[in-house]
Amino acid sequence: MAPICPPRGVYAPVLAFFHEDETLDLEALKAHVTRLAQGGVAGLVIQGSNGEAPHLLHSERQQVISTARATLKEQGKDDAVIIAGCGAPSTRETIQLCTEAKEAGADYALVLSPSYWPQAMGPPVIKKFFTDIANASPIPVLIYNFPGVTSGIDISSDTIAELAAANPNKIVGCKLTCGNLGKLHRVAHDKRIQSPFATFAGKSDFFLHGLVGGSNGVIAAAANFVPKVHVQLLNLYDEGKLAEAQELQTYLSEADWVLVGLGVAGLKAAIDRYFGYGGGRSRRPLGAVQASAFEGAKDAVLKHVVDLESSL
């Protein structure tokens, strides 16, 4: 049974892999989850922003979750947790996705704020949305704050803390991809939150900064690429080796900047180029990334962290 809130550590928001005809490539998914499990991640985020959730049918979402769960079990990682992206424009569908995620093997739900009508999504509406989800979901909920994909809606630290305080053991964490480290620090140390609560940094390029601020670890796209390097940074920080952790953070920040510029399909193309599986395909309208995108300085930056990954 999973703990009340996700354990501290590195989490990879798992990519969705597709064949040329855009059907799910479950063999590539299995290969990827195997490498992540062997890389020491504490858990997986399925159908996060990098998992192309908006491009998947409900049945496909469940198929991906159940395949990831089975692969973790095959790797002897029964203790690794699965956080499933369950955000949808309506409260009703979000609750349905939470229920389906639990049925497929997820331990927690990661939920974006609704944003189709952003002008109507003021703080009272957002608070009621998350309260309704928390009360109806069969699994605990993490708030996902990512203004870049929610029409600019940016949930405040006060709203997050108030929701956590009012819904103990139901709202159990947050992922802050907004990049606001002040917000992360405030939430991580808010005395109104008395029940277990996990505050996660949402990108590799402020992983170390988040740890200093009190984060529970990181949920980061680049952890798909070099999970061992992320785990090593966490270990260095915990051992008090700050200078070494800073050096590793520099390499991760540089690599993350390259990968962000290449997009979701580019991250998959990078995994195919440097680790030999998956391909660089996304479902339309997202396109594919060609090998030429990795020429020159970008290749040097990524190759450096791949070499580090291979050394660990």
Side-chain angles (χ1 to χ4, degrees), residues 64-88:
V64 171
I65 294 169
S66 61
T67 300
R69 173 58 73 197
T71 304
L72 288 173
K73 186 173 183 179
E74 289 169 4
Q75 294 299 313
K77 298 289 185 178
D78 290 348
D79 59 335
V81 301
I82 290 180
I83 304 170
C86 295

Side-chain angles (χ1 to χ4, degrees), residues 97-140:
L97 287 169
C98 292
T99 301
E100 291 169 353
K102 177 179 172 56
E103 292 171 352
D107 303 294
Y108 308 93
L110 180 67
V111 179
L112 285 163
S113 58
S115 58
Y116 189 85
W117 290 281
Q119 298 305 316
M121 297 296 117
V125 176
I126 295 295
K127 287 177 73 172
K128 186 171 191 314
F129 170 78
F130 279 105
T131 299
D132 289 346
I133 301 304
N135 287 328
S137 173
I139 49 179

Side-chain angles (χ1 to χ4, degrees), residues 35-299:
R35 189 169 71 86
L36 295 174
Q38 294 173 350
V41 299
L44 308 175
V45 175
I46 309 290
Q47 281 110 47
S49 299
N50 283 273
E52 297 184 51
H55 292 174
L56 301 182
L57 303 173
H58 282 224
S59 59
E60 290 175 322
R61 288 180 180 228
Q62 287 190 295
Q63 192 175 13
V64 171
I65 294 169
S66 61
T67 300
R69 173 58 73 197
T71 304
L72 288 173
K73 186 173 183 179
E74 289 169 4
Q75 294 299 313
K77 298 289 185 178
D78 290 348
D79 59 335
V81 301
I82 290 180
I83 304 170
C86 295
S90 72
T91 301
R92 183 181 180 87
E93 186 180 11
T94 302
I95 293 168
Q96 181 183 356
L97 287 169
C98 292
T99 301
E100 291 169 353
K102 177 179 172 56
E103 292 171 352
D107 303 294
Y108 308 93
L110 180 67
V111 179
L112 285 163
S113 58
S115 58
Y116 189 85
W117 290 281
Q119 298 305 316
M121 297 296 117
V125 176
I126 295 295
K127 287 177 73 172
K128 186 171 191 314
F129 170 78
F130 279 105
T131 299
D132 289 346
I133 301 304
N135 287 328
S137 173
I139 49 179
V141 172
L142 285 79
I143 297 169
Y144 187 5
N145 188 50
F146 189 3
V149 298
T150 56
S151 302
I153 293 172
D154 190 3
I155 307 172
S156 72
S157 56
D158 280 333
T159 296
I160 293 171
E162 290 164 4
L163 281 165
N167 297 277
N169 301 332
K170 294 181 179 180
I171 294 179
V172 299
C174 62
K175 179 191 177 191
L176 301 178
T177 309
C178 53
N180 187 330
L181 288 165
K183 180 184 296 185
L184 185 152
H185 192 108
R186 290 191 298 274
V187 173
H189 299 278
D190 197 302
K191 291 181 172 55
R192 288 171 288 185
I193 305 175
Q194 296 295 311
S195 56
F197 191 85
T199 304
F200 286 101
K203 290 188 68 179
S204 297
D205 67 355
F206 54 90
F207 181 14
L208 178 59
H209 317 67
L211 291 172
V212 173
S215 77
N216 202 55
V218 70
I219 301 172
N224 282 288
F225 191 57
V226 284
K228 292 180 182 179
V229 176
H230 287 75
V231 173
Q232 177 69 358
L233 190 152
L234 178 60
N235 291 339
L236 289 171
Y237 175 78
D238 287 346
E239 293 166 7
K241 298 177 179 177
L242 187 58
E244 293 176 54
Q246 287 174 330
E247 182 180 16
L248 205 55
Q249 177 64 65
T250 299
Y251 299 141
L252 279 179
S253 293
E254 291 170 348
D256 191 59
W257 184 245
V258 170
L259 293 170
V260 166
L262 294 170
V264 175
L267 177 54
K268 286 189 277 192
I271 288 171
D272 187 45
R273 178 182 177 90
Y274 298 99
F275 296 100
Y277 65 88
R281 292 177 294 275
S282 291
R283 277 186 173 165
R284 292 168 293 175
L286 292 180
V289 172
Q290 305 304 317
S292 60
F294 298 95
E295 294 175 354
K298 292 177 182 178
D299 178 65

